[in-house]
Amino acid sequence: MPEQPPYLRIADVLRQRIAEHVWTAGDRLPSRSQIAEECGVGENVVRRAQELLISQGVLEGRAGSGTYVAEPRQRVRVVRSSAREQPGGSPFRADMQALGKQGNWESRTEAKVPAPAEVAARLGIAAGDPCVRTVYEFLADGRPVQLSTSWEPYQLTAGTLVILPEGGPHAGVGVVNRMAAIGITVSHAVEQPEPRQATVEEASLLGIQKAALVTHIRRTYYSDQGQPVETADIVIPAAHCEVVYEIPVSR
């Protein structure tokens, strides 16, 4: 029988210490150098062991802070459905409320950002045309569960009260409700989900292992005239969330 790789042996050691309550939920682990010295291995071996346990939800990496024993965490159910659009409210917040969680988000908006070629194609504009770009980090009970980068054609909302998705009297109510405020009826959205590995930045923001599996959804909203009004790249960690599609049936 082949010998167990060193990082798996160290992962078993760390897991055993948690099981024996040497470290409990929320505790910060000793530094990698301390663990490496105690166990007689290199720091890279400890790093691989910790990355494995982070991917399994046993540990939690916090950028710039260290590695902690993860709190028990249920997978969040993320429902994708047109029925989730709430008049005057946030679909994400409504979804989290239905799960008994506090839904919130942090955002950063920039105006007149040149559209990359792929985004321009999705919005039906020329590459380099100005857009309003908003980067979101969605939180459930204070923990990140979803990232999103939204793009809207600058000319579509320039000079209106809804040019900033998170500013003004219609802040935070979602694309459908904001567009309705300037006389644009959003009739449908197209979503293209696909699995991929998280980037280094995404993993850091979501508190998951580098290259862990995520669901990447390319979503585009269209007006009743067939005009794309917004497109977004949504990133959801597979270990923490399950993505469910709810499809209305007409009679």
Side-chain angles (χ1 to χ4, degrees), residues 73-87:
R73 185 168 184 174
Q74 291 183 326
R75 259 177 124 210
V76 174
R77 198 168 197 242
V78 178
V79 179
R80 314 294 301 171
S81 171
S82 59
R84 292 321 224 207
E85 293 291 347
Q86 303 289 321

Side-chain angles (χ1 to χ4, degrees), residues 119-132:
V119 169
R122 283 151 60 178
L123 289 174
I125 60 178
D129 279 0
C131 286
V132 176

Side-chain angles (χ1 to χ4, degrees), residues 94-109:
D95 282 346
M96 294 303 102
Q97 186 175 5
L99 295 171
K101 296 181 179 294
Q102 180 70 36
N104 214 330
W105 58 87
E106 298 174 359
S107 66
R108 183 179 72 257
T109 297

Side-chain angles (χ1 to χ4, degrees), residues 24-222:
T24 58
D27 284 352
R28 180 180 176 181
L29 267 62
S31 68
R32 285 177 186 164
S33 60
Q34 288 178 278
I35 296 173
E37 183 177 355
E38 182 182 344
C39 297
V41 296
E43 288 187 39
N44 282 339
V45 172
V46 177
R47 176 183 56 78
R48 288 192 65 189
Q50 290 181 342
E51 287 178 347
L52 174 64
L53 295 180
I54 289 171
S55 71
Q56 295 173 346
V58 177
L59 298 179
E60 180 179 290
R62 300 181 191 175
S65 178
T67 304
Y68 293 75
V69 179
E71 300 278 355
R73 185 168 184 174
Q74 291 183 326
R75 259 177 124 210
V76 174
R77 198 168 197 242
V78 178
V79 179
R80 314 294 301 171
S81 171
S82 59
R84 292 321 224 207
E85 293 291 347
Q86 303 289 321
S90 158
F92 175 78
R93 193 168 278 150
D95 282 346
M96 294 303 102
Q97 186 175 5
L99 295 171
K101 296 181 179 294
Q102 180 70 36
N104 214 330
W105 58 87
E106 298 174 359
S107 66
R108 183 179 72 257
T109 297
E110 297 175 83
K112 298 187 178 180
V113 178
E118 183 193 355
V119 169
R122 283 151 60 178
L123 289 174
I125 60 178
D129 279 0
C131 286
V132 176
R133 180 180 65 190
T134 305
V135 178
Y136 292 92
E137 182 179 351
F138 290 91
L139 310 168
D141 288 344
R143 290 185 171 183
V145 294
Q146 180 177 310
L147 304 175
S148 178
T149 302
S150 165
W151 299 80
E152 296 177 1
Y154 178 76
Q155 295 301 326
L156 188 67
T157 58
T160 73
L161 293 175
V162 301
I163 187 169
L164 301 177
E166 299 300 321
H170 302 286
V173 299
V175 175
V176 174
N177 295 312
R178 285 178 49 249
M179 293 299 160
I182 57 172
I184 297 175
T185 300
V186 175
S187 62
H188 68 286
V190 174
E191 294 196 346
Q192 179 186 351
E194 65 179 11
R196 65 166 173 80
Q197 292 180 318
T199 66
V200 173
E201 181 181 8
E202 289 166 349
S204 177
L205 290 170
L206 291 168
I208 58 177
Q209 181 187 6
K210 181 177 63 177
L213 191 65
V214 297
T215 301
H216 178 186
I217 302 173
R218 294 177 178 86
R219 180 202 65 205
T220 304
Y221 278 115
Y222 293 85

